[in-house]
Amino acid sequence: MWFSNLICYKFKQDISYAQDGFEKALEQDTFRPCGSQDLSTFGWTKALGKHGHSLSHFSQNAILVCAKREEKVLPAAVINDLLAEKIEHIEIEENRPVKKKEKDELKENLLHSLLPQAFKKSSLQFAFIDLEKGWLVVNSGSFNKAEELLALLRKSLGTLPVVPAFVNFDLGLFLTNWLTEFNPPEGFAIGQDAELVEADENGGQVKLKQHDLASDEVKNHLENGKVVTKLAFDWRERVKFMLQDDGSIKRLNYSETLKEENADIPKEDMAVKLDADFILASEEIKLLLEELVSSLGDPEDMLA
């Protein structure tokens, strides 16, 4: 339940979901394993895994969901080697070159013949909806993967009126100003990791790890026109993270004090602990996001 990467969205209108209706909507797209000719499948699975009974978990104005992907593993190198053998065999036996269209057909037939015996791998992707403030947060470091989950949720619910949370802000400008002035928003402390790039598209990059970001070296980079694309923060000594100029939040690291708040719940009550951890983590994330967005001000002011 401890989200490690965040792709955040905001609902464009007030939302209200009833648990029974929401659950029935997700049941339309329940996960199923790959069939013999499926390259991959994607659907909803139990939000609390083996410790739960439903696809959605409603708890304190938040809804936890989990999507599962299963895909066949067909290494490209293996496919290419087998294809090359088939092409060579035809060219020798029939004394003619194999053209592109025929190569594509051979490859397609090869894929279908190998799919039933291919290895499978699966992955889980969690997200939660905040019914109070209208957040939709996906535990992912990739916008593409987050959009896949949103597409599935939109298919199940029929509509999903959300937009990327930071779409109206030039986060690169904020990150650069905060580091240049070494003056982050209240409650946020600048960490020791950052990435700077030259404004030119073909410009160089500077990656700083465990570095004193207040040093003259960093100041020189900024004075020479480099802009900040990634910057580490410590929020109220409770959550450390990396904020990127595309709006993604990565490498969340929760303080031991925070994680120990539910340490007294016995392992025998795992469903209770998972619920408590979800409440704790989601509430922290919502507070962090609310303070972060508040520090950015009104996007209209940026255009003034």
Side-chain angles (χ1 to χ4, degrees), residues 38-174:
D38 289 324
L39 271 171
S40 67
T41 56
F42 191 52
W44 302 113
T45 189
K46 293 177 183 177
L48 296 184
K50 64 181 181 181
H51 303 288
H53 304 286
S54 58
L55 301 175
S56 57
H57 178 69
F58 279 63
S59 188
Q60 287 198 6
N61 286 323
I63 310 170
L64 178 69
V65 295
C66 180
K68 182 174 181 179
R69 174 177 295 282
E70 184 174 270
E71 51 191 341
K72 301 282 185 68
V73 180
L74 290 171
V78 173
I79 298 294
N80 291 336
D81 286 347
L82 292 173
L83 180 61
E85 289 179 10
K86 283 185 174 292
I87 291 172
E88 183 182 14
H89 177 76
I90 292 172
E91 290 180 338
I92 292 174
E93 288 291 315
E94 301 182 15
N95 192 29
R96 64 177 179 84
V98 176
K99 296 183 179 180
K100 184 181 184 304
K101 183 178 180 180
E102 186 178 0
K103 288 180 181 178
D104 291 341
E105 290 176 353
L106 287 169
K107 186 173 183 179
E108 187 72 17
N109 293 334
L110 192 58
L111 284 170
H112 282 298
S113 67
L114 292 175
L115 275 175
Q117 53 189 315
F119 290 108
K120 301 176 184 178
K121 67 175 183 179
S122 61
S123 59
L124 300 177
Q125 189 165 48
F126 290 88
F128 75 82
I129 295 172
D130 166 39
L131 296 172
E132 182 181 7
K133 297 290 187 179
W135 290 100
L136 194 164
V137 180
V138 184
N139 183 16
S140 176
S142 161
F143 274 96
N144 287 339
K145 290 185 177 179
E147 289 292 339
E148 288 178 355
L149 185 143
L150 262 62
L152 180 63
L153 191 55
R154 187 175 291 110
K155 177 174 180 287
S156 299
L157 299 177
T159 181
L160 191 68
V162 297
V163 294
F166 302 103
V167 68
N168 293 322
F169 298 99
D170 184 349
L171 284 184
L173 179 61
F174 281 99

Side-chain angles (χ1 to χ4, degrees), residues 168-218:
N168 293 322
F169 298 99
D170 184 349
L171 284 184
L173 179 61
F174 281 99
L175 294 175
T176 302
N177 288 341
W178 289 336
L179 184 56
T180 300
E181 300 170 7
F182 215 79
N183 185 27
E186 182 180 354
F188 294 82
I190 293 176
Q192 295 182 301
D193 297 352
E195 185 171 304
L196 290 72
V197 301
E198 293 178 356
D200 186 343
E201 288 186 3
N202 298 319
Q205 293 184 346
V206 177
K207 295 183 179 181
L208 304 167
K209 197 169 184 64
Q210 296 298 303
H211 199 89
D212 178 9
L213 299 185
S215 67
D216 290 339
E217 175 192 354
V218 177

